[in-house]
Amino acid sequence: MPETFKAILISRGEDKKQSVAVTELTDAELMDGDVTVAVEWTTVNYKDGLAITGKAPVIRRFPLVPGVDFAGTVISSSNPDWEEGDKVILNGWGVGETHFGAYAGRARVKGDWLVPLPDNMTARQAMAIGTAGYTAMLSVMALERHGITPNRGPVVVTGAAGGVGSVAIALLSRLGYHVIASTGRPAESAYLTDLGAAEIIDRGELSGPAKPLAKERWAGGIDAVGSHTLANVLSMTSYGGAVAACGLAQGMDLPSSVAPFILRGVSLLGIDSVMAPKELRLEAWWRLADELDHGKLAALTTTIGFDGIVGAATDIIDGKIRGRVVVGI
């Protein structure tokens, strides 16, 4: 009998309702690719929560193994860039959406989708960072490219207690920024302060309809929420500032006006982690290994086992997850 490994499989019936099951797969049932990886660690991101709960049409083919990122060891490769024993990370590229993903003992993918695990980072640490933390780093890099340095003024982070927000706060504070954290969970104030937030504001200040322009409060922002929250962040961004948009927890809409852009020269920077080019990925992971405080990373991380994935997916959609969840496969 061929060797099997545990996997989560999402299927959809003729009635268009999806179902989630834990099953056993073999290598022969994996999708096409030139590298096979033994998945050692993964994580539960907001997108994974949407996929498993069916709250949004993240999954575009059925049946599918969800899970948008993983870290592990190459066990076979026909790609010249990788050989057996290499430690690798994968984020995005449609994995967990159109291609079998991380919630299985093995994954077969294209070698071009992989990046090397940094020498000073473990596979577990890589997934404690995960797509959320990698997206936070891409957002920081975008603000830097736009000239938003610490001496320009404060930077606001929305959805602060979530995965992107938690890592963004830790990164920005380490780099010397004055970080304003916006959260709807006042009980997490001490947690956010420990990560490096200098100020904490209630998300209610940003979640209602925005004025075309409001009082200037920050030089830049990292927004994982979208909708009215992003509109308010833009309206309160100072002249020449910039906001990196990387999430949609409140919604995909943007009920704003052109006023911040044409009257204050504010820039809206779109952050895509799924199809980001390899050079950006390599820079982001190199900087995460070098610049993210490992003590803070440990403080914002909870570890669960494979059997906890489905429950964590529901919790993250319900706003019950703080920081990052890492999964030992």
Side-chain angles (χ1 to χ4, degrees), residues 255-287:
S256 183
S257 76
V258 298
F261 310 117
I262 65 174
L263 297 179
R264 287 187 181 156
V266 171
S267 294
L268 179 58
L269 312 175
I271 306 299
D272 168 54
S273 65
V274 176
M275 305 301 289
K278 194 163 187 177
E279 59 268 24
L280 273 183
R281 294 169 181 267
L282 292 170
E283 180 184 353
W285 280 104
W286 176 83
R287 289 190 58 180

PDB file of all heavy atoms in Angstrom, residues 255-287:
ATOM      1  N   PRO A 255     -15.304  53.623   0.731  1.00  0.00           N
ATOM      2  CA  PRO A 255     -16.198  54.778   0.633  1.00  0.00           C
ATOM      3  C   PRO A 255     -15.472  56.078   0.984  1.00  0.00           C
ATOM      4  O   PRO A 255     -15.711  56.715   2.011  1.00  0.00           O
ATOM      5  CB  PRO A 255     -17.297  54.442   1.653  1.00  0.00           C
ATOM      6  CG  PRO A 255     -16.613  53.590   2.668  1.00  0.00           C
ATOM      7  CD  PRO A 255     -15.555  52.818   1.942  1.00  0.00           C
ATOM      8  N   SER A 256     -14.575  56.479   0.103  1.00  0.00           N
ATOM      9  CA  SER A 256     -13.725  57.650   0.328  1.00  0.00           C
ATOM     10  C   SER A 256     -14.012  58.692  -0.749  1.00  0.00           C
ATOM     11  O   SER A 256     -14.976  58.578  -1.510  1.00  0.00           O
ATOM     12  CB  SER A 256     -12.255  57.225   0.314  1.00  0.00           C
ATOM     13  OG  SER A 256     -11.409  58.316   0.593  1.00  0.00           O
ATOM     14  N   SER A 257     -13.164  59.707  -0.807  1.00  0.00           N
ATOM     15  CA  SER A 257     -13.229  60.707  -1.866  1.00  0.00           C
ATOM     16  C   SER A 257     -11.822  60.933  -2.392  1.00  0.00           C
ATOM     17  O   SER A 257     -10.851  60.397  -1.849  1.00  0.00           O
ATOM     18  CB  SER A 257     -13.805  62.026  -1.327  1.00  0.00           C
ATOM     19  OG  SER A 257     -12.821  62.709  -0.557  1.00  0.00           O
ATOM     20  N   VAL A 258     -11.710  61.731  -3.430  1.00  0.00           N
ATOM     21  CA  VAL A 258     -10.382  62.028  -3.967  1.00  0.00           C
ATOM     22  C   VAL A 258      -9.658  63.092  -3.150  1.00  0.00           C
ATOM     23  O   VAL A 258      -8.484  63.373  -3.406  1.00  0.00           O
ATOM     24  CB  VAL A 258     -10.462  62.479  -5.446  1.00  0.00           C
ATOM     25  CG1 VAL A 258     -11.030  61.375  -6.309  1.00  0.00           C
ATOM     26  CG2 VAL A 258     -11.279  63.760  -5.585  1.00  0.00           C
ATOM     27  N   ALA A 259     -10.325  63.679  -2.161  1.00  0.00           N
ATOM     28  CA  ALA A 259      -9.747  64.803  -1.428  1.00  0.00           C
ATOM     29  C   ALA A 259      -8.362  64.523  -0.841  1.00  0.00           C
ATOM     30  O   ALA A 259      -7.447  65.341  -0.997  1.00  0.00           O
ATOM     31  CB  ALA A 259     -10.710  65.274  -0.335  1.00  0.00           C
ATOM     32  N   PRO A 260      -8.150  63.395  -0.131  1.00  0.00           N
ATOM     33  CA  PRO A 260      -6.807  63.173   0.429  1.00  0.00           C
ATOM     34  C   PRO A 260      -5.724  63.108  -0.646  1.00  0.00           C
ATOM     35  O   PRO A 260      -4.580  63.513  -0.409  1.00  0.00           O
ATOM     36  CB  PRO A 260      -6.935  61.820   1.152  1.00  0.00           C
ATOM     37  CG  PRO A 260      -8.394  61.651   1.412  1.00  0.00           C
ATOM     38  CD  PRO A 260      -9.070  62.295   0.241  1.00  0.00           C
ATOM     39  N   PHE A 261      -6.079  62.633  -1.829  1.00  0.00           N
ATOM     40  CA  PHE A 261      -5.092  62.436  -2.881  1.00  0.00           C
ATOM     41  C   PHE A 261      -4.745  63.739  -3.599  1.00  0.00           C
ATOM     42  O   PHE A 261      -3.572  63.995  -3.891  1.00  0.00           O
ATOM     43  CB  PHE A 261      -5.607  61.404  -3.889  1.00  0.00           C
ATOM     44  CG  PHE A 261      -6.111  60.140  -3.239  1.00  0.00           C
ATOM     45  CD1 PHE A 261      -7.439  59.766  -3.349  1.00  0.00           C
ATOM     46  CD2 PHE A 261      -5.268  59.331  -2.490  1.00  0.00           C
ATOM     47  CE1 PHE A 261      -7.914  58.604  -2.752  1.00  0.00           C
ATOM     48  CE2 PHE A 261      -5.729  58.174  -1.880  1.00  0.00           C
ATOM     49  CZ  PHE A 261      -7.054  57.813  -2.004  1.00  0.00           C
ATOM     50  N   ILE A 262      -5.761  64.577  -3.869  1.00  0.00           N
ATOM     51  CA  ILE A 262      -5.491  65.771  -4.672  1.00  0.00           C
ATOM     52  C   ILE A 262      -5.283  67.035  -3.834  1.00  0.00           C
ATOM     53  O   ILE A 262      -4.775  68.023  -4.342  1.00  0.00           O
ATOM     54  CB  ILE A 262      -6.604  66.007  -5.710  1.00  0.00           C
ATOM     55  CG1 ILE A 262      -7.940  66.319  -5.038  1.00  0.00           C
ATOM     56  CG2 ILE A 262      -6.745  64.798  -6.631  1.00  0.00           C
ATOM     57  CD1 ILE A 262      -9.048  66.711  -6.027  1.00  0.00           C
ATOM     58  N   LEU A 263      -5.682  66.999  -2.553  1.00  0.00           N
ATOM     59  CA  LEU A 263      -5.486  68.171  -1.703  1.00  0.00           C
ATOM     60  C   LEU A 263      -4.316  68.010  -0.725  1.00  0.00           C
ATOM     61  O   LEU A 263      -3.745  69.008  -0.288  1.00  0.00           O
ATOM     62  CB  LEU A 263      -6.765  68.486  -0.922  1.00  0.00           C
ATOM     63  CG  LEU A 263      -7.983  68.852  -1.782  1.00  0.00           C
ATOM     64  CD1 LEU A 263      -9.195  69.131  -0.909  1.00  0.00           C
ATOM     65  CD2 LEU A 263      -7.669  70.067  -2.662  1.00  0.00           C
ATOM     66  N   ARG A 264      -3.974  66.776  -0.397  1.00  0.00           N
ATOM     67  CA  ARG A 264      -2.844  66.541   0.507  1.00  0.00           C
ATOM     68  C   ARG A 264      -1.743  65.693  -0.120  1.00  0.00           C
ATOM     69  O   ARG A 264      -0.739  65.424   0.524  1.00  0.00           O
ATOM     70  CB  ARG A 264      -3.323  65.875   1.806  1.00  0.00           C
ATOM     71  CG  ARG A 264      -4.095  66.820   2.721  1.00  0.00           C
ATOM     72  CD  ARG A 264      -4.387  66.177   4.052  1.00  0.00           C
ATOM     73  NE  ARG A 264      -5.152  67.071   4.909  1.00  0.00           N
ATOM     74  CZ  ARG A 264      -5.930  66.658   5.905  1.00  0.00           C
ATOM     75  NH1 ARG A 264      -6.029  65.365   6.186  1.00  0.00           N
ATOM     76  NH2 ARG A 264      -6.595  67.535   6.630  1.00  0.00           N
ATOM     77  N   GLY A 265      -1.927  65.260  -1.330  1.00  0.00           N
ATOM     78  CA  GLY A 265      -0.893  64.463  -1.977  1.00  0.00           C
ATOM     79  C   GLY A 265      -0.665  63.123  -1.320  1.00  0.00           C
ATOM     80  O   GLY A 265       0.437  62.562  -1.373  1.00  0.00           O
ATOM     81  N   VAL A 266      -1.699  62.576  -0.693  1.00  0.00           N
ATOM     82  CA  VAL A 266      -1.587  61.279  -0.021  1.00  0.00           C
ATOM     83  C   VAL A 266      -1.560  60.169  -1.074  1.00  0.00           C
ATOM     84  O   VAL A 266      -2.233  60.245  -2.096  1.00  0.00           O
ATOM     85  CB  VAL A 266      -2.776  61.082   0.950  1.00  0.00           C
ATOM     86  CG1 VAL A 266      -2.821  59.653   1.495  1.00  0.00           C
ATOM     87  CG2 VAL A 266      -2.677  62.089   2.093  1.00  0.00           C
ATOM     88  N   SER A 267      -0.770  59.137  -0.798  1.00  0.00           N
ATOM     89  CA  SER A 267      -0.687  57.989  -1.709  1.00  0.00           C
ATOM     90  C   SER A 267      -1.262  56.746  -1.048  1.00  0.00           C
ATOM     91  O   SER A 267      -1.016  56.492   0.132  1.00  0.00           O
ATOM     92  CB  SER A 267       0.769  57.722  -2.101  1.00  0.00           C
ATOM     93  OG  SER A 267       1.287  58.792  -2.865  1.00  0.00           O
ATOM     94  N   LEU A 268      -2.009  55.974  -1.825  1.00  0.00           N
ATOM     95  CA  LEU A 268      -2.532  54.693  -1.377  1.00  0.00           C
ATOM     96  C   LEU A 268      -1.695  53.599  -2.039  1.00  0.00           C
ATOM     97  O   LEU A 268      -1.658  53.496  -3.265  1.00  0.00           O
ATOM     98  CB  LEU A 268      -4.005  54.558  -1.757  1.00  0.00           C
ATOM     99  CG  LEU A 268      -4.702  53.251  -1.366  1.00  0.00           C
ATOM    100  CD1 LEU A 268      -4.635  53.005   0.133  1.00  0.00           C
ATOM    101  CD2 LEU A 268      -6.157  53.261  -1.845  1.00  0.00           C
ATOM    102  N   LEU A 269      -1.014  52.804  -1.227  1.00  0.00           N
ATOM    103  CA  LEU A 269      -0.077  51.804  -1.717  1.00  0.00           C
ATOM    104  C   LEU A 269      -0.704  50.414  -1.586  1.00  0.00           C
ATOM    105  O   LEU A 269      -0.960  49.946  -0.485  1.00  0.00           O
ATOM    106  CB  LEU A 269       1.226  51.860  -0.908  1.00  0.00           C
ATOM    107  CG  LEU A 269       1.833  53.262  -0.715  1.00  0.00           C
ATOM    108  CD1 LEU A 269       3.054  53.178   0.195  1.00  0.00           C
ATOM    109  CD2 LEU A 269       2.194  53.885  -2.063  1.00  0.00           C
ATOM    110  N   GLY A 270      -0.956  49.780  -2.704  1.00  0.00           N
ATOM    111  CA  GLY A 270      -1.546  48.447  -2.675  1.00  0.00           C
ATOM    112  C   GLY A 270      -0.496  47.384  -2.400  1.00  0.00           C
ATOM    113  O   GLY A 270       0.582  47.390  -2.994  1.00  0.00           O
ATOM    114  N   ILE A 271      -0.810  46.471  -1.472  1.00  0.00           N
ATOM    115  CA  ILE A 271       0.122  45.411  -1.085  1.00  0.00           C
ATOM    116  C   ILE A 271      -0.473  44.059  -1.471  1.00  0.00           C
ATOM    117  O   ILE A 271      -1.506  43.647  -0.948  1.00  0.00           O
ATOM    118  CB  ILE A 271       0.400  45.435   0.433  1.00  0.00           C
ATOM    119  CG1 ILE A 271       0.869  46.819   0.879  1.00  0.00           C
ATOM    120  CG2 ILE A 271       1.409  44.358   0.805  1.00  0.00           C
ATOM    121  CD1 ILE A 271       2.149  47.303   0.228  1.00  0.00           C
ATOM    122  N   ASP A 272       0.191  43.378  -2.392  1.00  0.00           N
ATOM    123  CA  ASP A 272      -0.216  42.031  -2.779  1.00  0.00           C
ATOM    124  C   ASP A 272       0.877  41.054  -2.376  1.00  0.00           C
ATOM    125  O   ASP A 272       2.008  41.156  -2.850  1.00  0.00           O
ATOM    126  CB  ASP A 272      -0.447  41.941  -4.280  1.00  0.00           C
ATOM    127  CG  ASP A 272      -0.579  40.493  -4.737  1.00  0.00           C
ATOM    128  OD1 ASP A 272      -1.430  39.777  -4.160  1.00  0.00           O
ATOM    129  OD2 ASP A 272       0.181  40.078  -5.630  1.00  0.00           O
ATOM    130  N   SER A 273       0.537  40.116  -1.516  1.00  0.00           N
ATOM    131  CA  SER A 273       1.522  39.127  -1.082  1.00  0.00           C
ATOM    132  C   SER A 273       1.484  37.858  -1.921  1.00  0.00           C
ATOM    133  O   SER A 273       2.446  37.090  -1.923  1.00  0.00           O
ATOM    134  CB  SER A 273       1.283  38.773   0.393  1.00  0.00           C
ATOM    135  OG  SER A 273       0.028  38.126   0.547  1.00  0.00           O
ATOM    136  N   VAL A 274       0.388  37.636  -2.637  1.00  0.00           N
ATOM    137  CA  VAL A 274       0.187  36.354  -3.326  1.00  0.00           C
ATOM    138  C   VAL A 274       1.100  36.211  -4.538  1.00  0.00           C
ATOM    139  O   VAL A 274       1.757  35.186  -4.734  1.00  0.00           O
ATOM    140  CB  VAL A 274      -1.288  36.188  -3.744  1.00  0.00           C
ATOM    141  CG1 VAL A 274      -1.484  34.908  -4.544  1.00  0.00           C
ATOM    142  CG2 VAL A 274      -2.182  36.174  -2.515  1.00  0.00           C
ATOM    143  N   MET A 275       1.160  37.239  -5.377  1.00  0.00           N
ATOM    144  CA  MET A 275       1.926  37.162  -6.622  1.00  0.00           C
ATOM    145  C   MET A 275       3.155  38.056  -6.599  1.00  0.00           C
ATOM    146  O   MET A 275       3.733  38.349  -7.647  1.00  0.00           O
ATOM    147  CB  MET A 275       1.022  37.543  -7.803  1.00  0.00           C
ATOM    148  CG  MET A 275      -0.264  36.743  -7.910  1.00  0.00           C
ATOM    149  SD  MET A 275      -0.006  34.954  -8.075  1.00  0.00           S
ATOM    150  CE  MET A 275       0.642  34.883  -9.744  1.00  0.00           C
ATOM    151  N   ALA A 276       3.583  38.497  -5.450  1.00  0.00           N
ATOM    152  CA  ALA A 276       4.750  39.375  -5.347  1.00  0.00           C
ATOM    153  C   ALA A 276       5.967  38.721  -5.992  1.00  0.00           C
ATOM    154  O   ALA A 276       6.189  37.514  -5.842  1.00  0.00           O
ATOM    155  CB  ALA A 276       5.040  39.691  -3.886  1.00  0.00           C
ATOM    156  N   PRO A 277       6.780  39.493  -6.730  1.00  0.00           N
ATOM    157  CA  PRO A 277       7.951  38.907  -7.387  1.00  0.00           C
ATOM    158  C   PRO A 277       8.972  38.378  -6.385  1.00  0.00           C
ATOM    159  O   PRO A 277       9.020  38.809  -5.229  1.00  0.00           O
ATOM    160  CB  PRO A 277       8.518  40.074  -8.203  1.00  0.00           C
ATOM    161  CG  PRO A 277       7.970  41.302  -7.566  1.00  0.00           C
ATOM    162  CD  PRO A 277       6.643  40.931  -6.996  1.00  0.00           C
ATOM    163  N   LYS A 278       9.799  37.458  -6.848  1.00  0.00           N
ATOM    164  CA  LYS A 278      10.707  36.746  -5.956  1.00  0.00           C
ATOM    165  C   LYS A 278      11.693  37.673  -5.269  1.00  0.00           C
ATOM    166  O   LYS A 278      12.030  37.479  -4.100  1.00  0.00           O
ATOM    167  CB  LYS A 278      11.458  35.652  -6.717  1.00  0.00           C
ATOM    168  CG  LYS A 278      12.162  34.655  -5.799  1.00  0.00           C
ATOM    169  CD  LYS A 278      12.538  33.393  -6.532  1.00  0.00           C
ATOM    170  CE  LYS A 278      13.081  32.346  -5.565  1.00  0.00           C
ATOM    171  NZ  LYS A 278      13.384  31.062  -6.258  1.00  0.00           N
ATOM    172  N   GLU A 279      12.153  38.719  -5.967  1.00  0.00           N
ATOM    173  CA  GLU A 279      13.122  39.612  -5.332  1.00  0.00           C
ATOM    174  C   GLU A 279      12.532  40.319  -4.114  1.00  0.00           C
ATOM    175  O   GLU A 279      13.220  40.530  -3.103  1.00  0.00           O
ATOM    176  CB  GLU A 279      13.680  40.625  -6.330  1.00  0.00           C
ATOM    177  CG  GLU A 279      12.663  41.533  -7.003  1.00  0.00           C
ATOM    178  CD  GLU A 279      12.143  40.966  -8.322  1.00  0.00           C
ATOM    179  OE1 GLU A 279      12.194  39.733  -8.506  1.00  0.00           O
ATOM    180  OE2 GLU A 279      11.684  41.779  -9.159  1.00  0.00           O
ATOM    181  N   LEU A 280      11.247  40.679  -4.186  1.00  0.00           N
ATOM    182  CA  LEU A 280      10.588  41.292  -3.030  1.00  0.00           C
ATOM    183  C   LEU A 280      10.440  40.279  -1.901  1.00  0.00           C
ATOM    184  O   LEU A 280      10.623  40.610  -0.724  1.00  0.00           O
ATOM    185  CB  LEU A 280       9.214  41.829  -3.424  1.00  0.00           C
ATOM    186  CG  LEU A 280       9.121  43.240  -4.000  1.00  0.00           C
ATOM    187  CD1 LEU A 280       7.663  43.597  -4.244  1.00  0.00           C
ATOM    188  CD2 LEU A 280       9.775  44.261  -3.094  1.00  0.00           C
ATOM    189  N   ARG A 281      10.085  39.048  -2.239  1.00  0.00           N
ATOM    190  CA  ARG A 281       9.939  37.996  -1.232  1.00  0.00           C
ATOM    191  C   ARG A 281      11.260  37.739  -0.505  1.00  0.00           C
ATOM    192  O   ARG A 281      11.290  37.631   0.727  1.00  0.00           O
ATOM    193  CB  ARG A 281       9.465  36.700  -1.899  1.00  0.00           C
ATOM    194  CG  ARG A 281       8.087  36.772  -2.483  1.00  0.00           C
ATOM    195  CD  ARG A 281       7.777  35.554  -3.350  1.00  0.00           C
ATOM    196  NE  ARG A 281       6.449  35.660  -3.922  1.00  0.00           N
ATOM    197  CZ  ARG A 281       5.352  35.155  -3.386  1.00  0.00           C
ATOM    198  NH1 ARG A 281       5.419  34.461  -2.267  1.00  0.00           N
ATOM    199  NH2 ARG A 281       4.181  35.311  -3.952  1.00  0.00           N
ATOM    200  N   LEU A 282      12.327  37.639  -1.261  1.00  0.00           N
ATOM    201  CA  LEU A 282      13.629  37.377  -0.654  1.00  0.00           C
ATOM    202  C   LEU A 282      14.027  38.512   0.279  1.00  0.00           C
ATOM    203  O   LEU A 282      14.531  38.282   1.381  1.00  0.00           O
ATOM    204  CB  LEU A 282      14.683  37.178  -1.745  1.00  0.00           C
ATOM    205  CG  LEU A 282      14.537  35.903  -2.586  1.00  0.00           C
ATOM    206  CD1 LEU A 282      15.487  35.946  -3.777  1.00  0.00           C
ATOM    207  CD2 LEU A 282      14.793  34.667  -1.733  1.00  0.00           C
ATOM    208  N   GLU A 283      13.810  39.764  -0.166  1.00  0.00           N
ATOM    209  CA  GLU A 283      14.131  40.901   0.690  1.00  0.00           C
ATOM    210  C   GLU A 283      13.285  40.889   1.962  1.00  0.00           C
ATOM    211  O   GLU A 283      13.792  41.120   3.068  1.00  0.00           O
ATOM    212  CB  GLU A 283      13.913  42.215  -0.062  1.00  0.00           C
ATOM    213  CG  GLU A 283      14.233  43.442   0.785  1.00  0.00           C
ATOM    214  CD  GLU A 283      13.939  44.760   0.089  1.00  0.00           C
ATOM    215  OE1 GLU A 283      13.601  44.751  -1.115  1.00  0.00           O
ATOM    216  OE2 GLU A 283      14.040  45.810   0.760  1.00  0.00           O
ATOM    217  N   ALA A 284      11.991  40.600   1.801  1.00  0.00           N
ATOM    218  CA  ALA A 284      11.101  40.596   2.965  1.00  0.00           C
ATOM    219  C   ALA A 284      11.525  39.540   3.978  1.00  0.00           C
ATOM    220  O   ALA A 284      11.609  39.817   5.184  1.00  0.00           O
ATOM    221  CB  ALA A 284       9.660  40.358   2.520  1.00  0.00           C
ATOM    222  N   TRP A 285      11.820  38.325   3.515  1.00  0.00           N
ATOM    223  CA  TRP A 285      12.191  37.260   4.454  1.00  0.00           C
ATOM    224  C   TRP A 285      13.575  37.491   5.061  1.00  0.00           C
ATOM    225  O   TRP A 285      13.803  37.182   6.232  1.00  0.00           O
ATOM    226  CB  TRP A 285      12.087  35.892   3.785  1.00  0.00           C
ATOM    227  CG  TRP A 285      10.664  35.430   3.752  1.00  0.00           C
ATOM    228  CD1 TRP A 285       9.819  35.407   2.691  1.00  0.00           C
ATOM    229  CD2 TRP A 285       9.901  34.968   4.873  1.00  0.00           C
ATOM    230  NE1 TRP A 285       8.580  34.965   3.062  1.00  0.00           N
ATOM    231  CE2 TRP A 285       8.597  34.676   4.400  1.00  0.00           C
ATOM    232  CE3 TRP A 285      10.195  34.759   6.217  1.00  0.00           C
ATOM    233  CZ2 TRP A 285       7.591  34.192   5.238  1.00  0.00           C
ATOM    234  CZ3 TRP A 285       9.200  34.277   7.064  1.00  0.00           C
ATOM    235  CH2 TRP A 285       7.915  34.001   6.562  1.00  0.00           C
ATOM    236  N   TRP A 286      14.494  38.044   4.283  1.00  0.00           N
ATOM    237  CA  TRP A 286      15.806  38.387   4.842  1.00  0.00           C
ATOM    238  C   TRP A 286      15.644  39.419   5.959  1.00  0.00           C
ATOM    239  O   TRP A 286      16.242  39.298   7.036  1.00  0.00           O
ATOM    240  CB  TRP A 286      16.715  38.916   3.740  1.00  0.00           C
ATOM    241  CG  TRP A 286      18.043  39.376   4.252  1.00  0.00           C
ATOM    242  CD1 TRP A 286      19.144  38.622   4.519  1.00  0.00           C
ATOM    243  CD2 TRP A 286      18.409  40.724   4.584  1.00  0.00           C
ATOM    244  NE1 TRP A 286      20.166  39.405   4.997  1.00  0.00           N
ATOM    245  CE2 TRP A 286      19.745  40.708   5.050  1.00  0.00           C
ATOM    246  CE3 TRP A 286      17.740  41.955   4.533  1.00  0.00           C
ATOM    247  CZ2 TRP A 286      20.415  41.859   5.451  1.00  0.00           C
ATOM    248  CZ3 TRP A 286      18.406  43.102   4.938  1.00  0.00           C
ATOM    249  CH2 TRP A 286      19.721  43.051   5.390  1.00  0.00           C
ATOM    250  N   ARG A 287      14.819  40.430   5.706  1.00  0.00           N
ATOM    251  CA  ARG A 287      14.636  41.480   6.714  1.00  0.00           C
ATOM    252  C   ARG A 287      13.863  40.964   7.931  1.00  0.00           C
ATOM    253  O   ARG A 287      14.155  41.363   9.067  1.00  0.00           O
ATOM    254  CB  ARG A 287      13.933  42.683   6.092  1.00  0.00           C
ATOM    255  CG  ARG A 287      14.823  43.444   5.125  1.00  0.00           C
ATOM    256  CD  ARG A 287      14.223  44.752   4.700  1.00  0.00           C
ATOM    257  NE  ARG A 287      13.949  45.636   5.833  1.00  0.00           N
ATOM    258  CZ  ARG A 287      13.418  46.846   5.714  1.00  0.00           C
ATOM    259  NH1 ARG A 287      13.090  47.313   4.512  1.00  0.00           N
ATOM    260  NH2 ARG A 287      13.194  47.589   6.784  1.00  0.00           N
TER     261      ARG A 287
END
